[in-house]
Amino acid sequence: MEAFDYDDIQLVPNKGIIKSRRDADTSIKFGNRTFKISVVPANMESVIDEKLAIWLAENGYYYVMHRFQPEKRIDFIKMMHEKGLFASISVGIKDSEYKFIDQLVKENVKPEYITIDVAHGHSIYVIKMIHYIKEKLPDSFLTAGNIATPEAVRELENEGADATKVGVGPGKACITKLKTGFGTGGWQLAALRMCSKVASKPLIADGGIRHNGDIAKSIRFGATMVMIGSMLAGHEESPGNIIKINGKTYKQYWGSASEVQKGAYRNVEGKQMLIPYRGSIKDTLREMQEDLQSSISYAGGKDLNSIKLVDYVIVKNTIMDGDY
Ligand SMILES: NC(=O)C1=CN([C@@H]2O[C@H](COP(=O)(O)OP(=O)(O)OC[C@H]3O[C@@H](n4cnc5c(N)ncnc54)[C@H](OP(=O)(O)O)[C@@H]3O)[C@@H](O)[C@H]2O)C=CC1
Ligand SMILES: Nc1nc2c(ncn2[C@@H]2O[C@H](COP(=O)(O)O)[C@@H](O)[C@H]2O)c(=O)[nH]1
């Protein structure tokens, strides 16, 4: 098996066919909806809150609300529906989550998208939850994760997941690879490639995106959606306060398995860090879309499909020489 990551790869340009990058179509269908760009902010409490979820849904972006205020989820779904917006929530796999699904059914509150969000998604308990959700809420589009192997993709798809999310340990706030020795940290792109070879349903690449070009690389290696945490944190709209240190401005970014998130130092696999303040997320998302339009142009096509067909070379980290 060949191990490589985002910085080890360059995509090879093809003859361009569009007059302007504005003519490149970055839209992507995921579930029954079409979104502006194949990027979704991570379902982390330091990345998304209700206000940002509303803005994203109103403006044609896919979003996944985090699951760390579980008692607010029903009202969140109702609120989104009252505004005529789609509802996209996360669930875990503990016993209380089965009661939550029952409550949704009882109150006839049906989210359009559900993401099962646990660290080790290739698990009999995730499969049990897939079965339960598909039985109780068959019309909700169900993503299951996170996973790292083709075996996991095949199994979760066969058990009923409508999409799977790939990435165990490549995140910026992640310490899983250090604490457990496991994961796709350092070879996330190769793991995505392996998973995409067997996937018959959409894949979300999750974690490890450090440059806008990594979005195109994820698409080349099989992603339909790309989940991004650290690069979409630190914005005006991001949860948390602005922090000033020595005249510089930051916001906090913390892992969902960090002590900060858990409120206790138990099974900690994440850390907290400061992210330089970046202004509005609207500008960052616009730039991601513009860069993806350029990628489509270099791919020699008009839409995201063209990126999937390009050649690539493995350059083993040399593309970053002089860039740091
Ligand atoms: N993408 C990634 O690489 C990672 C992401 N995360 C994120 O952190 C958050 C918390 O995740 P998670 O700890 O799964 O959520 P939960 O605390 O909800 O744990 C999930 C359930 O699975 C059990 N479990 C069994 N084995 C494992 C294992 N190896 N790792 C984790 N749980 C296990 C847990 O029990 P018990 O606690 O008793 O073991 C618990 O009942 C999520 O948002 C997740 O996405 C966390 C780590 C890695
Ligand atoms: N191992 C851990 N992974 C985590 C934790 N919190 C979130 N995550 C994962 O990271 C991505 C975001 O990655 P980034 O490189 O874009 O910052 C996120 O979607 C989760 O899958 C954690 O505490 N530990």
Side-chain angles (χ1 to χ4, degrees):
M1 186 189 52
E2 213 173 8
F4 55 82
D5 216 338
Y6 290 100
D7 287 353
D8 303 321
I9 289 292
Q10 281 283 268
L11 304 177
V12 180
N14 276 331
K15 185 175 177 183
I17 58 163
I18 52 175
K19 193 172 179 191
S20 163
R21 282 167 283 213
R22 281 192 298 278
D23 299 334
D25 178 6
T26 61
S27 67
I28 187 76
K29 191 163 185 282
F30 189 68
N32 289 329
R33 282 157 201 270
T34 299
F35 299 100
K36 209 178 248 182
I37 182 175
S38 47
V39 163
V40 57
N43 49 344
M44 300 166 68
E45 204 173 21
S46 51
V47 174
I48 189 164
D49 59 13
E50 287 196 3
K51 200 170 163 209
L52 182 56
I54 293 168
W55 184 84
L56 290 164
E58 278 176 345
N59 286 278
Y61 295 101
Y62 182 51
Y63 77 91
V64 184
M65 189 60 187
H66 65 76
R67 65 176 168 89
F68 302 108
Q69 289 171 308
E71 69 292 345
K72 289 194 172 174
R73 286 177 297 184
I74 285 210
D75 285 344
F76 172 77
I77 301 166
K78 288 180 185 166
M79 180 270 296
M80 294 303 275
H81 286 169
E82 274 158 24
K83 290 176 179 281
L85 300 171
F86 71 95
S88 173
I89 59 154
S90 303
V91 300
I93 54 172
K94 291 183 178 159
D95 291 347
S96 54
E97 295 293 72
Y98 289 86
K99 293 196 184 96
F100 170 62
I101 300 296
D102 291 343
Q103 199 186 345
L104 292 181
V105 175
K106 194 171 155 212
E107 296 192 29
N108 199 27
V109 174
K110 297 180 178 170
E112 283 74 12
Y113 295 86
I114 300 178
T115 298
I116 302 177
D117 167 43
V118 295
H120 187 14
H122 193 191
S123 141
I124 55 173
Y125 296 98
V126 169
I127 291 169
K128 203 173 146 213
M129 182 55 90
I130 291 173
H131 292 168
Y132 202 72
I133 293 174
K134 276 293 155 190
E135 186 201 327
K136 302 283 179 179
L137 297 166
D139 296 331
S140 295
F141 184 91
L142 180 61
T143 297
N146 275 23
I147 54 166
T149 63
E151 291 76 14
V153 172
R154 257 198 219 108
E155 204 170 341
L156 299 194
E157 283 186 353
N158 289 341
E159 299 294 346
D162 299 307
T164 53
K165 191 144 71 74
V166 179
V168 176
K172 183 117 178 167
C174 167
I175 52 173
T176 298
K177 58 181 175 290
L178 307 176
K179 298 250 298 174
T180 72
F182 281 81
T184 59
W187 63 288
Q188 166 71 0
L189 198 58
L192 181 65
R193 177 172 179 259
M194 275 167 40
C195 289
S196 73
K197 288 193 184 300
V198 305
S200 61
K201 298 177 183 177
L203 290 179
I204 302 182
D206 179 13
I209 302 296
R210 302 289 173 262
H211 307 277
N212 288 359
D214 297 344
I215 299 165
K217 292 177 187 179
S218 302
I219 293 166
R220 167 60 184 82
F221 287 95
T224 296
M225 275 284 170
V226 183
M227 182 168 265
I228 300 180
S230 49
M231 278 182 62
L232 289 176
H235 290 92
E236 185 187 323
E237 298 86 350
S238 310
N241 299 321
I242 287 176
I243 294 168
K244 289 208 168 154
I245 302 172
N246 297 333
K248 292 196 175 142
T249 319
Y250 303 89
K251 274 194 147 181
Q252 272 164 336
Y253 177 59
W254 61 91
S256 304
S258 64
E259 186 177 9
V260 175
Q261 184 69 63
K262 291 183 169 216
Y265 196 82
R266 193 165 167 272
N267 295 124
V268 163
E269 288 184 27
K271 60 185 178 186
Q272 177 171 243
M273 63 185 67
L274 292 174
I275 300 275
Y277 177 70
R278 295 191 171 110
S280 176
I281 199 170
K282 297 171 192 172
D283 296 328
T284 299
L285 287 168
R286 185 184 41 75
E287 188 176 344
M288 283 180 176
Q289 183 171 22
E290 284 172 2
D291 290 346
L292 201 46
Q293 286 179 309
S294 280
S295 301
I296 291 170
S297 164
Y298 285 119
K302 292 178 178 167
D303 57 27
L304 293 177
N305 280 324
S306 57
I307 296 177
K308 291 181 190 161
L309 304 172
V310 297
D311 286 336
Y312 66 91
V313 289
I314 300 184
V315 288
K316 283 288 167 202
N317 288 319
T318 50
I319 63 166
M320 287 305 160
D321 283 357
D323 285 349
Y324 289 117

